[in-house]
């Protein structure tokens, strides 16, 4: 009988063309599927909670997949980690109910976006932080974040508006901005995000922190429901898929 | 007139064959000297407080160099950072007295060695931590560390004993072991270290933490003044030159 598995993976997205299998590209999905095939001999399709773009990282991406001939989870996890490069790690692997779906069963997600606003970006965090050259005004960012939270149409904070989604209304249940030294962290939580929504929110909050836009602009931009140059997409390397809720 | 400079640099040693210029190898020194030459047009020799080996990192390596035609320090630092890859950063640059010598003027150094003893090494720290598969016994490591501190002949904890050094006696003024979750940190401070001494101390402390050697062995090993297989050299990627004292 077919066995379904729930697998949590962490990855450094630096050297990958994102999650999804693409011909001729090295992707997280293709690496995981190749390793799962090597161990099981089966053609394994691995489904994630939500695709991450090229260069985006994950602390805890959740996935599911099936095996026709079940394998013991501990051995399977160890085997996968032995076959994968050290920039992708299986952090947890358990059996799951046949109807568990990494994407559809998820009730929410948390992303974190990390900024560095010191003059010099330390080499050891350079792959995981977005460097901002101006000292960010934290209070202005927090003010703007407060105006974006709640149930809103986030069309103005999504890319590819031509992508067909039934609705662009989402509940942004958390959008927190905090500072520790030169590291500024944005924590965003929602039951679901639009395409490039977190990087768009981060891009806008950076402009606010730089003093380029006033926090009050948030409301008008939301109301416009139109993506314009006022909302830049922040670069991928600062973004981590942090947690998926079920 | 010739101007001397004191320059502090941080680097990720992953992609470098250590500090020192070597034919056909990419080294920290060669990258810095190339950038300094590009800016000044002069042949610049950059001297450091102590060479780091291939793969070893630095949070704050201190260097000195001279320019025949002085340049303004802020512009010079910015210019160097613009020319260098992002895994080497100039973090501070000031004029120095003509007799300032990054190595000879140093009164001491602090190194930190970072271990990870969780089952899975998180991808985002993989280049900066040494993975230990067994849960480390912190108290045993602290006990052993206490026995190694102080003024001792550290021949048994140095590599290349054929290197001619006038004396192998050093004062290890600090050797602290602490834990935060799965991260175990060793902080070592001395007025001067022998070749590969920190990695040897770390290698020994790891064995103690794994329960392979008792802390009490430290005294006998010191007394033997002989480097043997009892003291392995811990891998380079866990080691950071943290601070140089003047």
């Amino acid at each position: 009988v077919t066995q379904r598995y729930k697998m949590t993976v962490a990855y450094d997205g630096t050297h990958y063309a994102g999650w999804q299998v693409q011909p001729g590209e090295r992707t997280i999905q293709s690496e995981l599927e190749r390793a799962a095939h090597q161990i099981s001999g089966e053609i394994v399709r691995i489904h994630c909670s939500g695709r991450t773009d090229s260069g985006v990282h994950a602390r805890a991406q959740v996935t599911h997949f099936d095996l026709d001939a079940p394998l013991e989870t501990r051995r399977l996890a160890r085997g996968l980690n032995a076959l994968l490069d050290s920039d992708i790690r299986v952090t947890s692997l358990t059996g799951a109910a046949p109807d568990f779906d990494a994407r559809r069963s998820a009730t929410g997600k948390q992303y974190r976006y990390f900024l560095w606003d010191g003059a010099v970006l330390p080499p050891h965090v350079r792959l995981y932080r977005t460097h901002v050259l101006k000292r960010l005004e934290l209070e202005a960012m927090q003010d703007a974040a407060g105006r974006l939270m709640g149930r809103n149409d986030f069309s103005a904070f999504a890319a590819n508006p031509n992508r067909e989604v039934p609705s662009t209304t989402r509940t942004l249940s958390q959008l927190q901005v905090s500072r520790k030294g030169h590291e500024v962290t944005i924590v965003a939580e929602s039951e679901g995000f639009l395409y490039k929504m977190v990087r768009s929110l981060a891009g806008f909050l950076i402009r606010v922190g730089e003093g380029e836009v006033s926090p009050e602009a948030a409301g008008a931009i939301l109301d416009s429901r139109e993506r314009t140059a006022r909302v830049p997409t922040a670069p991928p390397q600062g973004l981590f898929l942090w947690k998926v809720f079920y």
Side-chain angles (χ1 to χ4, degrees), chain A:
Chain A
V1 283
T2 296
Q3 170 70 53
R4 179 151 292 192
Y5 296 92
K6 177 186 179 186
M7 175 170 75
T8 306
V9 291
Y11 46 83
D12 177 337
T14 308
H15 303 298
Y16 296 91
W19 168 267
Q20 195 177 13
V21 168
Q22 290 177 59
E25 297 277 11
R26 201 164 166 258
T27 69
I28 307 291
Q29 187 184 19
S30 60
E31 290 295 302
L32 287 168
E33 291 182 352
R34 186 184 52 76
H37 171 67
Q38 273 186 265
I39 286 179
S40 65
E42 301 180 23
I43 304 294
V44 185
R45 196 96 243 246
I46 299 183
H47 305 267
C48 72
S49 69
R51 298 163 190 168
T52 51
D53 283 323
S54 182
V56 172
H57 312 292
R59 173 182 167 271
Q61 167 73 283
V62 178
T63 70
H64 78 261
F65 62 93
D66 295 326
L67 288 183
D68 292 332
L71 292 169
E72 198 267 307
T73 53
R74 240 180 103 141
R75 286 188 63 157
L76 184 52
R78 278 195 195 176
L80 289 168
N81 280 335
L83 289 168
L84 291 162
D85 280 348
S86 59
D87 53 3
I88 307 181
R89 293 289 91 182
V90 174
T91 58
S92 142
L93 180 61
T94 58
D99 65 345
F100 171 77
D101 184 293
R103 186 170 64 82
R104 291 195 194 88
S105 308
T107 56
K109 270 187 213 158
Q110 184 185 111
Y111 284 91
R112 296 195 180 185
Y113 197 97
F114 295 95
L115 300 161
W116 184 269
D117 70 352
V120 175
L121 182 65
H124 305 91
V125 301
R126 75 190 185 285
L127 305 173
Y128 316 113
R129 302 288 181 270
T130 291
H131 194 196
V132 177
L133 293 172
K134 220 165 164 179
R135 170 96 183 174
L136 293 166
E137 293 165 29
L138 201 72
E139 282 184 27
M141 294 174 78
Q142 289 167 334
D143 180 352
R147 294 165 191 265
L148 293 166
M149 272 177 63
R151 190 158 179 79
N152 295 301
D153 183 329
F154 284 99
S155 304
F157 294 91
N160 277 18
N162 55 344
R163 275 203 173 197
E164 289 185 19
V165 283
S167 161
T168 47
T169 296
R170 294 289 184 277
T171 300
L172 190 57
S173 49
Q174 207 197 118
L175 190 63
Q176 306 285 351
V177 189
S178 60
R179 172 189 288 284
K180 195 179 165 187
H182 283 300
E183 185 171 289
V184 172
T185 306
I186 300 166
V187 178
E189 234 175 83
S190 174
E191 92 270 86
F193 288 93
L194 299 170
Y195 186 55
K196 290 201 178 160
M197 182 167 151
V198 184
R199 285 166 62 187
S200 302
L201 292 167
F204 174 70
L205 291 176
I206 292 168
R207 293 199 73 196
V208 170
E210 290 174 331
E212 299 288 329
V213 185
S214 93
E216 291 80 16
I221 294 175
L222 274 176
D223 290 345
S224 76
R225 297 179 195 182
E226 226 188 311
R227 177 61 182 257
T228 68
R230 292 167 304 181
V231 177
T233 303
Q237 80 273 7
L239 183 61
F240 281 71
L241 170 51
W242 201 258
K243 207 174 177 177
V244 186
F245 303 102
Y246 291 95

